[in-house]
Amino acid sequence: MTISASEIRQALENDEFVFFYQPKVSFLSGRISGAEALIRWCRGDGDVHVPHTFMPVAEASGMVPEITRHMFPRLLEDFQRIRGQQGQEGLAFNISGSDLDAPNLVALIRESISDGRLDAAHLELEITESTAVEENDVIARSLTGLLAAGVQLCMDDYGTGFSSLATLNRLPFSTLKMDQSFVMRLMRSPKSATLIKTSIAMAQLLGIKTVVEGIESQQVYEALLHYGCTEGQGYWISRPLPLGEYLDLLNSDRHWPASPVGMLRMAEISHSWQFKLVTDTVFTYLKQGERPDSAAELLHVDHQACALGEWYYGPGQALAGGSDFERLELPHRMMHEVCGEIFTAMGNNQGTDVLAPLLERLSERSCQMSSSLHRLETHLLLSELG
Ligand code: C2E
Ligand code: MG
Ligand code: MG
């Protein structure tokens, strides 16, 4: 069935568009951590249309900003009801390039933040790479304005565009959402699995959260559980639901499998990269005789503020009391102390005689930490087997 632009305009007048909500689940807690709002056209005859049946027509006839302007107040109303129910959930909202090309969306969002109807930190805008890569001045100004207002930015369908890395480099995304096509091939294609794993690790090193969408089976959910991604979304967890059903789901106390292993693995990756960065910095200094500008930032990080520290003193505390967990703290703190000494030694123009023993000490502490992290991971995996 072909839909015309005038039918879409009529549907807007009749208020036939609504949002369905698809939950996202935290792999760490197994609980709903937020939802993505997905537009649906509920026609008078009872048919419910998904976006691909009408959004391309709306896009071609330049109506998307009009739809967004019409739907945004509805999103805010729904948001109030969702927040009333459950507190801290985030809401993700898809926008297209044409929304950013027109000034109204930024104004609408800013207004709703300033009159208290929207808490910016809980709104995440999902844009596809192809939107984000358009180096158009108006789009760039809109994105800067939205980020300044405090909203979060998610790169949707990551991996399908041509300039993913350039776009990630250019804009401060807070979330990366892997495209469904990788997830759907996960069980059949080791290459897809590797692309997912390395993208998650890359995001971790950039300080960005990851969401995987398109989880259609328990088998895929469980495979992803230990990969280290932050959240999952897909039909196996729940299909997109009308608001009332989504609120019922929030109230139902339903939960899905959860594991601390993924986050532990990400902490381990951060740790080993930090260690390599420090040794590379010292190597460059010894070779070139100059302390790189980046050394201050790298070597003067408090042990609670590095990626491993954020995990250890944050969500990792759920493992407190276990001997391998407790055994991590001292060598980690000492690693940071040695980093401070290395920084001072480089500032005092010391040579290999002073720096080599410091690197040896750093390496010993790092080995202690790695072995505790590995043991902890093995124990956690075994305990999941029951
Ligand atoms: P998206 O943002 O990538 O949304 C994910 C799509 O995948 C949704 O389709 C969702 O229903 C579907 N999906 C979720 N889990 C699974 C799964 O396990 N298996 C499969 N096969 N599919 C799954 P939907 O709702 O049809 O939306 C399609 C696209 O339309 C969205 O892709 C988004 O780009 C766009 N869209 C949706 N709502 C809006 C909106 O309000 N404004 C704009 N500008 N675009 C929207
Ligand atoms: Mg999306
Ligand atoms: Mg997507």
Side-chain angles (χ1 to χ4, degrees), residues 36 126 156-157 177-180 213:
E36 178 176 8
E126 295 196 1
D156 207 350
D157 304 341
K177 208 174 202 187
M178 283 303 294
D179 188 62
Q180 306 190 5
E213 60 179 343

Side-chain angles (χ1 to χ4, degrees), residues 22 36 39-40 51 94 96 156-157 180 213 216 235 240:
Q22 187 177 33
E36 178 176 8
I39 197 167
R40 294 291 180 266
N94 294 281
S96 14
D156 207 350
D157 304 341
Q180 306 190 5
E213 60 179 343
E216 291 189 345
Y235 291 168

